[in-house]
């Protein structure tokens, strides 16, 4: 049995009792990576020498009260790590070695985690399948012919395949919850502002949020506790109390009121996804919760709103990659304008270029009011829909994705079909509320399905407890792919 089939609590107990050492855990992580990652392709950069050195230094240290002490972790490759290559899976940053750590990385180091490497992703977090990586696609550990979801596909696949115990991902429109659903693991997008974005390479600044991907809900709570908190380096970081999320996991949900939006079980959602959610609701009813069908009327506009707003912000954020200060610089340019054009043309992939052009168009003179401003107005209506539901209900529940994972190459030439895969996760980012995906069954082809639980602003404790109660009543989290 792999040590990573244990949860955080058990591994902490083993370390405290000196039954295992951090260096053994890190060695097991690299052993697993060396044996399976050629198939999965979850990692872009490994940190083997430094990780083993760090682990050995912790072997003889007094074990910390932190439950994460001595545990190996993988970091998505758009979160900067000092002296450890950070590429955003883009050729334009193929040689970028940061000179500082992101705030979340600093917090994890303080908690005693050991970074084993940087995880593959869709380039600049733009994608739903991890086929947009500038280097290599990630494969789903449950079936190597299928996608793992994106953009945090490497983060989810590494956990599902047992290469690491847990990882960090980022979620702009579902990029943690979708791959978590496709790979049969737990993925949490915190409330916007709950976790510092300092050191997260920006895609869409008003939507991006870092969060944990884990094997089970309790591990997610421990990891969230470690990375939350106000950060003076991030002006959007919220000054709110960080509760002990792990203490909220009582499993008691008697009297809980669940809202189930009819739009989340409507057109485009597969029968398998609907069936899994309805079965999950029956389990929650047995535990004392009640549910009613509701409507989020403006959710039908969420997809168009998201792609206009996120592309507009991407257009502004990615302007910094100009071939001058860092990253790829074209060798063939003869003047400054050519340097800008050729460096960006050579460095960015097709999907990134597509979104930059869409965003630049939406922000241009004569179109700003018609597209960008209108999208911001619709975003407000979507946020109000959630606020209205949360006046009467504790959580909102639906599928994480409309279907299980699709085959590699199946939608790669059809951007619109690819974009629709985010339809159930995008409204959560537009409203800034927290959401978690937990495994809730399997499709006929053996691929996992995910249950999405959405909560009120800064009420991660409730969605974690609901997810925990459901997890304890089922055994989907104990299923592992066979590679």
């Amino acid at each position: 049995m792999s040590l990573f089939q244990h949860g955080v609590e058990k591994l902490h107990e083993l370390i405290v009792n000196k039954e295992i050492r951090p260096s053994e855990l890190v060695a097991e992580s690299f052993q697993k990576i060396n044996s399976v990652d050629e198939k999965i392709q979850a990692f872009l950069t490994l940190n083997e020498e430094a990780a083993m050195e760090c682990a050995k230094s912790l072997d003889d240290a007094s074990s910390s009260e932190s439950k994460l002490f001595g545990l190996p972790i993988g970091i998505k490759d758009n979160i900067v790590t000092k002296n450890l290559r950070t590429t955003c899976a883009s050729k334009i940053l193929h040689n970028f070695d940061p000179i500082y750590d992101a705030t979340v990385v600093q917090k994890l180091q303080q908690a005693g985690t050991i970074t084993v490497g940087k995880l593959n992703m869709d380039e600049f977090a733009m994608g739903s399948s991890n086929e947009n990586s500038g280097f290599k696609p990630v494969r789903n550990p449950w079936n190597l012919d299928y996608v793992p979801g994106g953009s945090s596909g490497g983060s989810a696949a590494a956990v599902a395949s047992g290469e690491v115990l847990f990882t960090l991902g980022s979620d702009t429109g579902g990029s943690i919850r979708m791959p978590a659903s496709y790979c049969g693991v737990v993925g949490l997008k915190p409330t916007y502002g709950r976790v510092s974005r300092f050191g997260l390479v920006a895609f869409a600044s008003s939507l991006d949020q870092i969060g944990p991907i884990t094997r089970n809900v309790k591990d997610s709570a421990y990891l969230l506790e470690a990375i939350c908190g106000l950060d003076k380096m991030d002006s959007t970081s919220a000054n709110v109390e960080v509760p002990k999320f792990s203490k909220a996991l009582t499993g008691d949900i008697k009297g809980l009121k669940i809202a189930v939006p009819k739009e989340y079980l409507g057109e485009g959602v597969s029968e398998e996804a609907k069936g899994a959610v309805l079965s999950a609701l029956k389990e929650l009813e047995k535990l004392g919760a009640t549910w009613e069908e509701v409507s989020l009327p403006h959710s039908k506009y969420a997809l168009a709103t998201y792609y206009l707003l996120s592309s507009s912000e991407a257009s502004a954020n990615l302007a910094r990659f100009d071939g001058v200060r860092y990253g790829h610089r074209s060798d063939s340019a003869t003047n400054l304008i050519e340097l800008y054009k050729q460096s960006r043309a050579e460095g960015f992939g097709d999907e990134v270029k597509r979104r930059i052009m869409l965003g630049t168009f939406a922000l241009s003179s004569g179109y700003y009011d018609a597209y960008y401003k209108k999208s911001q107005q619709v975003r407000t209506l979507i946020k109000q829909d959630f606020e209205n539901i949360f006046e009467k209900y504790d959580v909102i529940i639906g599928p994480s994705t409309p279907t299980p994972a699709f085959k590699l190459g199946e939608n790669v030439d059809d951007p619109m079909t690819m974009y629709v895969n985010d339809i159930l996760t995008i409204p959560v980012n537009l409203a800034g509320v927290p959401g978690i995906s937990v495994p809730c069954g399997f499709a006929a082809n053996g691929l996992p399905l995910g249950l999405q639980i959405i909560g009120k602003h800064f009420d991660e404790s409730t969605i974690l407890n609901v997810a925990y109660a459901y997890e304890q009543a089922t055994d989907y989290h104990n299923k592992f792919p066979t590679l």
Side-chain angles (χ1 to χ4, degrees):
M1 177 179 173
S2 166
L3 287 170
F4 297 143
Q5 290 184 20
H6 294 301
V8 164
E9 280 188 340
K10 180 64 176 175
L11 290 175
H12 179 69
E13 179 189 321
L14 293 171
I15 289 173
V16 169
N17 293 335
K18 304 292 184 185
E19 295 178 52
I20 59 170
R21 295 175 296 173
S23 60
E24 292 175 63
L25 286 170
V26 172
E28 176 156 334
S29 179
F30 284 114
Q31 184 180 358
K32 187 73 172 179
I33 291 167
N34 290 334
S35 67
V36 305
D37 203 62
E38 190 175 341
K39 300 175 186 173
I40 305 295
Q41 302 186 141
F43 281 88
L44 288 176
T45 303
L46 293 177
N47 190 37
E48 191 161 2
E49 188 177 330
M52 285 305 299
E53 189 177 317
C54 176
K56 286 173 182 173
S57 72
L58 295 181
D59 284 348
D60 301 322
S62 300
S63 57
S64 161
E65 288 184 11
S66 166
K67 289 285 198 294
L68 306 183
F69 177 84
L71 302 183
I73 188 169
I75 306 291
K76 187 176 179 180
D77 205 31
N78 60 345
I79 300 170
V80 302
T81 42
K82 187 175 181 179
N83 299 327
L84 182 59
R85 187 146 294 178
T86 301
T87 69
C88 294
S90 177
K91 290 177 180 172
I92 206 162
L93 284 176
H94 70 97
N95 59 356
F96 177 54
D97 297 319
I99 58 172
Y100 68 97
D101 282 317
T103 297
V104 290
V105 174
Q106 290 178 349
K107 285 177 174 284
L108 287 170
Q109 288 170 351
Q110 289 163 8
T113 66
I114 302 162
T115 301
V116 298
K118 304 301 290 293
L119 291 154
N120 203 350
M121 55 184 280
D122 283 302
E123 184 181 3
F124 283 101
M126 298 180 192
S128 306
S129 67
N130 226 137
E131 293 169 287
N132 292 330
S133 169
F135 302 108
K136 54 189 178 181
V138 181
R139 296 177 180 271
N140 193 315
W142 290 91
N143 187 325
L144 298 175
D145 293 330
Y146 285 76
V147 302
S151 63
S152 307
S155 298
V159 174
S161 60
E163 294 175 289
V164 283
L165 182 65
F166 42 45
T167 59
L168 286 188
S170 68
D171 194 309
T172 308
S175 289
I176 287 174
R177 289 158 291 150
M178 171 192 265
S181 175
Y182 282 0
C183 292
V185 293
V186 176
L188 171 64
K189 184 208 89 76
T191 306
Y192 183 80
R194 171 67 91 180
V195 178
S196 171
R197 291 184 301 109
F198 179 71
L200 173 67
V201 179
F203 161 18
S205 305
S206 73
L207 298 161
D208 299 339
Q209 190 64 181
I210 296 169
I213 296 178
T214 61
R215 278 198 178 277
N216 61 60
V217 174
K218 188 166 275 190
D219 289 2
S220 186
Y222 282 125
L223 198 49
L224 185 63
E225 284 174 13
I227 62 174
C228 284
L230 179 67
D231 180 18
K232 65 182 181 180
M233 303 298 287
D234 175 11
S235 62
T236 62
S237 171
N239 187 11
V240 293
E241 182 187 356
V242 180
K244 283 284 185 184
F245 298 111
S246 54
K247 302 291 185 192
L249 305 183
T250 62
D252 181 6
I253 58 168
K254 286 179 183 151
L256 183 90
K257 293 181 179 177
I258 300 169
V260 180
K262 61 183 181 183
E263 293 83 2
Y264 285 23
L265 296 175
E267 186 181 352
V269 179
S270 72
E271 291 302 318
E272 289 177 314
K274 287 181 198 174
V277 169
L278 292 171
S279 295
L281 289 168
K282 285 178 185 173
E283 289 293 338
L284 294 170
E285 278 184 315
K286 291 178 192 173
L287 297 170
T290 58
W291 67 274
E292 292 177 357
E293 188 177 88
V294 298
S295 178
L296 292 170
H298 295 99
S299 61
K300 61 186 175 184
Y301 306 118
L303 204 63
T305 299
Y306 168 82
Y307 278 101
L308 280 166
L309 291 178
S310 64
S311 298
S312 296
E313 293 183 25
S315 169
N317 280 324
L318 271 62
R320 70 193 70 179
F321 302 106
D322 54 11
V324 175
R325 288 158 288 187
Y326 43 73
H328 173 72
R329 176 182 293 192
S330 175
D331 294 326
S332 57
T334 57
N335 59 55
L336 187 60
I337 299 301
E338 277 189 17
L339 176 67
Y340 291 157
K341 286 182 177 179
Q342 292 179 23
S343 296
R344 291 166 69 82
E346 294 165 12
F348 288 138
D350 289 345
E351 182 60 31
V352 174
K353 290 174 185 173
R354 185 181 292 119
R355 298 201 197 192
I356 288 172
M357 288 191 288
L358 174 60
T360 305
F361 173 79
L363 292 173
S364 60
S365 176
Y367 298 100
Y368 179 92
D369 285 351
Y371 294 107
Y372 182 77
K373 183 180 176 183
K374 183 66 71 178
S375 296
Q376 290 286 26
Q377 291 169 332
V378 176
R379 180 180 189 171
T380 300
L381 296 175
I382 291 168
K383 182 171 177 285
Q384 287 172 351
D385 283 348
F386 279 97
E387 289 168 351
N388 292 337
I389 296 296
F390 285 131
E391 285 178 5
K392 298 179 184 176
Y393 300 92
D394 299 303
V395 295
I396 296 170
I397 283 181
S400 300
T401 58
T403 64
F406 47 90
K407 281 193 170 181
L408 281 154
E410 189 175 319
N411 298 323
V412 74
D413 296 321
D414 186 354
M416 289 306 296
T417 299
M418 198 75 86
Y419 294 170
V420 171
N421 290 304
D422 297 331
I423 198 164
L424 300 175
T425 51
I426 277 172
V428 172
N429 296 78
L430 291 170
V433 293
I436 189 170
S437 177
V438 293
C440 70
F442 292 88
N445 61 5
L447 294 174
L449 297 164
L451 180 75
Q452 183 175 205
I453 305 165
I454 303 163
K456 302 171 186 176
H457 284 100
F458 299 105
D459 193 16
E460 286 84 358
S461 295
T462 297
I463 62 170
L464 281 163
N465 189 41
V466 176
Y468 180 72
Y470 174 71
E471 184 181 79
Q472 296 306 297
T474 59
D475 69 343
Y476 300 120
H477 63 292
N478 291 322
K479 309 286 188 187
F480 303 103
T482 303
L483 286 164

